[in-house]
Amino acid sequence: MTQSLAGRERTVPSGDLTLWAEEFGDPEHPTVLLVMGAQAQGTQWNDGIVRRLVEGGRRVVRYDHRDTGQSSTVEYATRPYTVADMASDALAVLDAFEVERAHLVGASLGGIIAQRLAVTHPRRVLTLTSLSSQPLGTDTAALVQRALTGLPPLPGALPPPTPELLSTLATTLPGPESSLSDHIAARLPLWRVLHGPVLPFHEDEYRAMERRVHERARNLRAGINHTLAGAAREELTTGDLARVTAPTLVLHGTQDPMFPPAHAEATAAAIPRARLVMVEGMGHTLPAALDGRLAHEILRQTADADT
């Protein structure tokens, strides 16, 4: 039987907020900072990925964004924030662990945060891995709005999320006082669509993940604020990715319904010397069946830049 993964938890200050974080591996080893996506907790980075990275000689840190898990929640109406503020939270985590330079691995919105830091704080970034994400500066809200109103994408624009995903997103938000069983029942249809149609869907895996999310959350609905933060005006553009100097891996699923493969291609094209790896059959989730493949790619990406 696989032993449970033992991490070292701590609370990290970020301004007047506190962020939950967890560290694994030898503190003397190169650090990989795992940055999750919108409305997602740090523990949604699978233990299987973390274990493989540690076994590969990496110190791994994962954390809960503001408004998720055990981190502080914010009243967005009176205290709005942006993706830039969420990027500052990631730097606060690195500072708390006394990490001067780290390998950044960001999934979905976490990929945008990691890209942003590679532009604005290049000295803090050893390597960049943008996973299941899109180019910095993409106006996703505009893409979605056009799709919802039946308008085709503008010429040269990236494709919106699939119609099936947009329809499912509108109907799978659990109520504020949902029981655990109701919460899981509401979320499973979304995970089925995000997972994609090719790889086997193991319902028990997603049930266990949502059970842990439900148990850890201070406020399950606070993560909706990430959507508002992502829609706030971003002063950086995709063109700014030309300033990225960190070795970059763009890692993406061929069946991603949130950010179809053209988003990965555009990200890789915008970053000098970026390497694009498409994972056959993967959607917009990180199923345990892909732990080994994803960890292998991250270890390969971080190996040459170890310091």
Side-chain angles (χ1 to χ4, degrees):
M1 178 180 291
T2 302
Q3 293 182 344
S4 60
L5 190 65
R8 302 178 292 279
E9 300 181 29
R10 72 166 71 174
T11 298
V12 170
S14 182
D16 61 351
L17 303 180
T18 59
L19 307 173
W20 174 90
E22 189 173 26
E23 173 190 22
F24 305 85
D26 187 337
E28 298 302 316
H29 287 170
T31 299
V32 174
L33 180 67
L34 300 176
V35 188
M36 240 311 151
Q39 305 183 43
Q41 299 180 10
T43 54
Q44 288 174 258
W45 287 103
N46 292 345
D47 287 355
I49 292 177
V50 174
R51 180 180 292 106
R52 287 170 171 82
L53 294 179
V54 170
E55 291 172 348
R58 305 293 180 267
R59 175 198 195 189
V60 178
V61 176
R62 62 186 179 185
Y63 70 101
D64 289 338
H65 292 296
R66 61 175 71 189
D67 279 329
T68 65
Q70 294 293 298
S71 291
S72 294
T73 58
V74 176
E75 183 59 51
Y76 192 90
T78 58
R79 187 180 175 179
Y81 59 86
T82 66
V83 173
D85 296 312
M86 298 179 73
S88 294
D89 290 341
L91 290 177
V93 172
L94 292 181
D95 290 343
F97 284 94
E98 300 182 338
V99 177
E100 182 62 29
R101 305 182 72 202
H103 301 284
L104 300 188
V105 180
S108 196
L109 177 62
I112 298 297
I113 291 170
Q115 291 173 39
R116 200 179 201 288
L117 290 174
V119 171
T120 61
H121 292 77
R123 295 184 180 180
R124 305 297 300 270
V125 183
L126 279 169
T127 66
L128 166 65
T129 298
S130 181
L131 170 62
S132 302
S133 192
Q134 62 179 161
L136 176 71
T138 303
D139 190 347
T140 305
L143 296 178
V144 170
Q145 183 61 34
R146 291 186 68 86
L148 290 176
T149 55
L151 296 173
L154 292 171
L158 290 170
T162 64
E164 182 184 16
L165 177 56
L166 290 176
S167 175
T168 306
L169 283 168
T171 59
T172 56
L173 184 64
E177 304 299 329
S178 294
S179 66
L180 174 59
S181 59
D182 289 342
H183 172 86
I184 292 175
R187 296 289 289 175
L188 278 178
L190 175 60
W191 286 119
R192 288 184 183 276
V193 175
L194 288 171
H195 179 87
V198 173
L199 300 178
F201 180 81
H202 298 294
E203 182 175 308
D204 287 348
E205 178 181 343
Y206 290 94
R207 283 183 174 276
M209 180 182 67
E210 282 295 348
R211 185 177 300 110
R212 191 175 189 187
V213 165
H214 191 277
E215 291 171 349
R216 295 185 71 252
R218 291 183 175 182
N219 181 345
L220 278 168
R221 294 179 69 85
I224 296 173
N225 292 338
H226 292 176
T227 302
L228 302 175
R233 186 175 182 276
E234 170 62 80
E235 68 272 20
L236 298 181
T237 69
T238 301
D240 287 303
L241 290 176
R243 295 157 50 192
V244 173
T245 56
T248 298
L249 167 65
V250 179
L251 190 55
H252 210 88
T254 61
Q255 300 294 319
D256 193 321
M258 178 67 77
F259 302 131
H263 288 256
E265 295 164 2
T267 304
I271 299 175
R273 298 172 297 281
R275 182 167 61 94
L276 174 62
V277 173
M278 300 300 298
V279 181
E280 187 65 37
M282 186 173 83
H284 196 72
T285 68
L286 306 177
L290 292 177
D291 284 353
R293 172 69 188 281
L294 298 179
H296 169 79
E297 295 293 350
I298 294 168
L299 287 170
R300 177 186 173 192
Q301 175 64 17
T302 59
D304 293 340
D306 286 352
T307 61

